[in-house]
Amino acid sequence: MTKTYDVIIIGGSYAGLSAGLQLARARRKVLVIDEGLRRNRFASHSHGFITQDGVDPSVIAADARSQLMEYSTVDWVSGRAETVQRNGLTTFGQVLFDVMVEASRYQSRRIILALGVRDVLPEIQGLKERWGKSVFHCPYCHGYELNQGKIGVIAGSALSMHHALMLPDWGPTTLLLNQAFTPDADQLAALAARGVVLERGPVKSITGHADVRLLDGSCLSFEGLFALAPFEITSQIPQQLGLDMEESPLGSIIRTDAMKETSVPGVFACGDAARPMASIALAVADGNLAGVNAHRSLMFGMKSGE
Ligand code: FAD
Ligand code: MG
C-alpha cells in the first residue's frame, strides 16, 4: 500500500533536515528521501557555521539527522527520488504528489525540494582529487586556514575577476589566466590596485599540495587554489513539476518567493538548489522557512486556494 505523508522532503542534508525539524515539531508526518551526495562531501572541515566551526561536515549532517529521527512522525528512505508527479485533488480537496523511489511509491500533500547542486569542475589534471582539500571555491569557507600563504586563482571565465579581487584579503594572490579570458585595461588596473600578480601561461596540471604546472614546464607552488565551478541541479524533478527556474551567474536555480514556495503551489524549495549564494547557515535558514511555510499551507491552504 502507498504510504501518504503530509510532506515529502527530497534531499536530506542541511536544508532538508532543517525543514524536517520544523514539521516534525508540529507533529506532521514527514518522509525524507536522500541519496547522500552532499555538495561538501569532499571537505573534512567545515567553517563559518556558528557552534560548528571547524567540524567535519559529515558529522554536522549526521547529528542533525539523528536529532530529527528522534521524532516518531519522521521516516527516512535512503535512495534517489526519480520522479515527482502532481496528481490533482483527492475527494477531501487535498492536492497529492506521487514520488517514486525505484519501484516504491510515496504520496504527500506538500513537497519540499532540498536537492542541493553538483559542482561542474574544470577539466584540469589533478584538480578533481584536490577539490575541498587544497582547491576551493569559497574564500569564506577555506581562506582563513591558508594562513596568509600564497593563493592561486585559476580562471574559468571573466567571472574569475571576482575571486582574484577578493582573495588578496586572505593572502598574496596570483591570477592564472589559463587562456580563459583576456583582462581589459580597467580589469588590469583593478587587479594591480589589489596587488594581484598575473600569470598568462596555460595550466597543464596540479600536483603535490597545490603546485601548478604550466605548459612551458615551470611550476608555481601555492598554499591553496581557487577555481570557478559552474553548478547544476542533478535531478529532473524541477522540470517534471514545471517549476520556474532562475539564472544565477554559475547555474540555474529553482525560483521561490520569500516564503520559499516555488511557482507550483504546494512545492517548496530550499538550500543551494534555490539560492545563488551557498553556505550551510543559509541552507539551514532556508530549510527553516520552507518547513514552516509548508506547514502553514497545510493549516491554512495554498496560494491557489487548494
Ligand atoms: P547538499 O548539502 O548538497 O545536500 C543535498 C542532498 O540532496 C544530497 O544529500 C543529495 O544526494 C540529495 N539529493 C539530490 N537530489 C536527490 C534526489 N533526486 N533524491 C534523493 N536525494 C537527492 N559551506 C559552509 O557553510 N562552510 C564550509 O566550510 C563549506 N565548505 C564547502 C566545501 C566544498 C568543497 C563545497 C563544494 C561546498 C562547501 N560549502 C560550505 C557549501 C555547502 O556544502 C552547501 O552550501 C550546503 O551543502 C548546501 O546544503 P543543501 O542541503 O542545500 O545541499
Ligand atoms: Mg520514525
Side-chain angles (χ1 to χ4, degrees), residues 37-237:
L37 297 173
R38 275 179 300 104
R39 186 180 189 180
N40 59 1
R41 64 190 181 280
F42 308 99
S44 55
H45 300 276
S46 163
H47 290 278
F49 183 38
I50 60 165
T51 77
Q52 306 295 317
D53 198 35
V55 174
D56 182 335
S58 68
V59 170
I60 302 175
D63 283 354
R65 175 176 168 177
S66 72
Q67 290 181 2
L68 178 64
M69 297 316 289
E70 289 292 313
Y71 292 84
S72 62
T73 58
V74 180
D75 287 346
W76 185 281
V77 166
S78 292
R80 181 170 176 83
E82 290 295 346
T83 60
V84 181
Q85 209 182 336
R86 193 174 186 275
N87 271 341
L89 302 181
T90 67
T91 44
F92 304 110
Q94 297 285 355
V95 69
L96 271 188
F97 296 91
D98 272 349
V99 180
M100 295 299 297
V101 180
E102 292 180 359
S104 304
R105 178 192 306 276
Y106 305 93
Q107 290 191 314
S108 66
R109 297 159 65 196
R110 301 290 183 269
I111 294 285
I112 296 178
L113 300 177
L115 303 169
V117 297
R118 184 180 84 88
D119 293 294
V120 182
L121 300 180
E123 300 265 343
I124 294 172
Q125 197 190 319
L127 186 145
K128 205 171 70 182
E129 304 89 293
R130 290 169 180 78
W131 185 243
K133 298 172 181 70
S134 59
V135 184
F136 311 103
H137 174 67
C138 165
Y140 295 97
C141 303
H142 306 285
Y144 186 90
E145 282 63 40
L146 303 179
N147 292 317
Q148 300 181 302
K150 285 175 67 181
I151 294 171
V153 172
I154 302 179
S157 74
L159 285 176
S160 294
M161 280 295 293
H162 187 65
H163 262 157
L165 294 176
M166 281 178 85
L167 279 156
D169 266 30
W170 282 272
T173 301
T174 300
L175 173 60
L176 297 127
L177 283 175
N178 197 25
Q179 300 179 309
F181 75 106
T182 307
D184 63 22
D186 286 349
Q187 288 170 325
L188 288 174
L191 291 167
R194 289 286 280 162
V196 177
V197 174
L198 265 190
E199 174 55 60
R200 293 179 186 270
V203 172
K204 183 166 167 270
S205 62
I206 304 168
T207 59
H209 173 71
D211 301 334
V212 177
R213 309 256 159 203
L214 300 177
L215 213 55
D216 67 10
S218 56
C219 177
L220 301 169
S221 292
F222 297 99
E223 197 55 40
L225 296 168
F226 284 77
L228 199 67
F231 61 76
E232 60 186 20
I233 295 173
T234 63
S235 162
Q236 290 303 306
I237 292 169

